[in-house]
C-alpha cells in the first residue's frame, strides 16, 4: 500500500502555517500546496526550507485573499475596491454565472499563471504539482489550471491521481461539510477505518487541510475547525503505528512521475 498524504492551503494564515510546520516535523504529510497569493506566503516558503522531504506545489486560489495579477485584469474575479477575490458564496448569488461560478476562462488562466510565476520567484524553481482549491466543481477553473500545468510542464494533481488510480480516502459526512458537527469529527478513528478498508494494496490519498485556527482563518474560510482535527490525525501516534504495522509506504508527488 502506498499513501500520498496531501495537505492543502499552506500559507493561508499564520495559524495554518504554524500547524502545518508542526505536522511536517511530527506527522505524516508528504505534499502540500502553497497559497502563493496570500500575504504570509513568503514566511511559509522560508519555514518549509527546513523540511526538504515535503513536496511543495501550488493550490491555485481564486476565492480568498488578494490576487497576484493586476486587479484591473480580473474584473469578474476580483472586487476592484479591495483587490481581493470575490468569495464563492457571493458569486453563487450572481445569476450571470449559473452553476459554473468561476468564469471567464481567461481570467482564471491569467491568475493561475501569475501565481506560478510568483512561486518561481520565491522558490527559484517550478512548483512540484498544481492543485485546485474550493472550486473543483467549476469546469472552467479546472481547465484553466490544467492548461497552465501543461504550459509550464507541471503535474496536475487530478491527472496524476487518474494515471495511478489513486483513491482519495475521505471521512464520511452528512449534510453541510462545514457544520460544527462535521468539522469536529474524530478523524483519527475515521481515517483508521478508511485505511483498514483499503489496506489490500494500491495507491490511496489522504487529503486534508491541516492547521491551527486563528482569527484570520475564521474570517476567510468556512473550513476552519476541521483543520485542527486534521492536524490531530496527521500527527497521531495511532495513525503512524498503523502505517508501520502494515508496512505501508508514504509517498509524495515526486514518486508519481507523469513522463513514463
Amino acid at each position: 500500500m502506498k499513501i500520498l498524504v496531501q495537505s492543502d492551503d499552506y500559507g493561508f494564515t499564520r495559524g495554518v502555517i504554524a500547524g502545518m510546520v508542526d505536522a511536517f516535523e511530527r506527522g505524516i504529510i508528504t505534499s502540500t500546496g502553497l497559497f502563493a497569493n496570500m500575504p504570509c506566503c513568503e514566511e511559509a516558503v522560508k519555514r518549509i526550507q527546513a523540511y526538504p522531504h515535503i513536496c511543495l506545489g501550488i493550490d491555485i486560489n481564486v476565492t480568498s485573499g488578494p490576487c497576484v495579477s493586476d486587479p484591473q485584469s480580473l474584473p469578474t474575479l476580483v472586487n476592484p475596491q479591495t483587490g481581493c477575490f470575490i468569495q464563492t458564496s457571493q458569486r453563487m448569488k450572481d445569476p450571470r454565472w449559473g452553476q459554473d461560478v468561476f468564469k471567464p476562462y481567461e481570467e482564471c488562466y491569467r491568475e493561475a499563471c501569475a501565481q506560478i510565476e510568483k512561486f518561481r520567484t520565491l522558490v527559484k524553481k517550478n512548483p512540484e504539482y498544481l492543485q485546485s482549491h474550493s472550486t473543483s466543481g467549476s469546469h472552467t477553473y479546472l481547465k484553466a489550471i490544467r492548461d497552465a500545468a501543461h504550459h509550464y510542464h507541471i503535474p496536475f494533481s487530478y491527472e496524476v491521481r487518474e494515471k495511478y488510480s489513486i483513491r482519495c480516502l475521505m471521512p464520511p459526512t452528512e449534510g453541510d461539510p462545514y457544520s460544527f458537527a462535521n468539522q469536529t469529527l474524530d478523524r483519527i478513528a475515521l481515517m483508521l477505518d478508511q485505511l483498514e478498508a483499503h489496506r489490500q494494496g494500491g495507491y490511496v490519498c489522504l487529503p486534508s487541510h491541516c492547521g491551527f485556527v486563528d482569527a484570520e482563518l475564521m474570517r476567510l474560510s468556512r473550513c476552519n475547525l476541521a483543520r485542527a482535527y486534521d492536524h490531530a490525525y496527521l500527527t497521531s501516534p495511532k495513525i503512524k503505528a498503523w502505517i508501520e504495522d502494515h508496512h505501508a509506504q508514504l509517498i509524495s508527488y515526486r514518486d508519481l512521475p507523469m513522463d513514463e
Side-chain angles (χ1 to χ4, degrees):
M1 184 181 195
K2 296 185 178 183
I3 306 174
L4 171 66
V5 187
Q6 177 179 325
S7 198
D8 298 341
D9 304 359
Y10 182 57
F12 199 175
T13 68
R14 286 184 168 81
V16 170
I17 293 171
M20 286 259 204
V21 168
D22 183 71
F24 297 160
E25 179 76 30
R26 301 191 300 112
I28 62 171
I29 295 173
T30 65
S31 301
T32 191
L34 179 71
F35 267 1
N37 69 305
M38 296 304 287
C40 53
C41 70
E42 292 187 31
E43 176 187 341
V45 169
K46 289 178 182 177
R47 296 194 67 180
I48 204 172
Q49 290 174 1
Y51 306 95
H53 65 286
I54 300 295
C55 176
L56 182 61
I58 299 182
D59 295 342
I60 300 296
N61 177 12
V62 295
T63 67
S64 299
C67 60
V68 176
S69 307
D70 178 355
Q72 299 301 317
S73 70
L74 307 175
T76 61
L77 288 181
V78 171
N79 181 333
Q81 296 178 333
T82 65
C84 291
F85 291 113
I86 301 169
Q87 293 187 322
T88 308
S89 58
Q90 293 177 264
R91 294 180 66 84
M92 289 176 68
K93 299 175 184 177
D94 191 327
R96 289 179 297 172
W97 312 125
Q99 292 185 343
D100 193 342
V101 297
F102 284 88
K103 299 176 182 176
Y105 166 89
E106 290 76 13
E107 292 185 31
C108 292
Y109 181 78
R110 179 179 298 115
E111 179 63 15
C113 291
Q115 292 183 19
I116 292 168
E117 290 294 345
K118 183 173 180 181
F119 182 105
R120 285 156 57 98
T121 298
L122 292 174
V123 185
K124 311 303 181 188
K125 63 178 183 179
N126 263 351
E128 296 184 79
Y129 68 96
L130 297 189
Q131 167 73 21
S132 66
H133 167 70
S134 180
T135 58
S136 56
S138 169
H139 297 294
T140 302
Y141 164 74
L142 290 178
K143 183 180 187 316
I145 299 178
R146 181 179 294 108
D147 289 350
H150 293 174
H151 176 76
Y152 285 92
H153 305 290
I154 301 167
F156 180 35
S157 62
Y158 284 42
E159 293 178 337
V160 175
R161 294 200 294 263
E162 181 179 3
K163 176 178 177 178
Y164 288 90
S165 301
I166 299 174
R167 299 178 183 178
C168 285
L169 307 187
M170 301 285 288
T173 58
E174 294 183 4
D176 181 0
Y178 303 121
S179 69
F180 178 84
N182 280 330
Q183 290 203 70
T184 57
L185 290 169
D186 180 359
R187 281 169 167 74
I188 297 173
L190 289 170
M191 295 314 296
L192 284 171
D193 289 344
Q194 290 283 310
L195 288 167
E196 191 66 29
H198 296 87
R199 66 176 183 171
Q200 295 305 318
Y203 293 86
V204 299
C205 175
L206 304 186
S208 64
H209 296 81
C210 177
F212 295 152
V213 180
D214 56 12
E216 186 72 354
L217 179 65
M218 297 298 289
R219 182 180 72 85
L220 289 172
S221 178
R222 292 186 67 211
C223 179
N224 39 62
L225 300 178
R227 297 175 193 263
Y229 285 80
D230 277 354
H231 174 274
Y233 102 74
L234 291 167
T235 58
S236 166
K238 291 182 179 179
I239 297 289
K240 290 189 278 189
W242 189 97
I243 291 170
E244 182 176 352
D245 291 346
H246 291 79
H247 308 289
Q249 178 185 357
L250 294 178
I251 62 170
S252 73
Y253 284 98
R254 294 174 185 164
D255 303 302
L256 302 167
M258 292 296 288
D259 55 0
E260 292 182 356

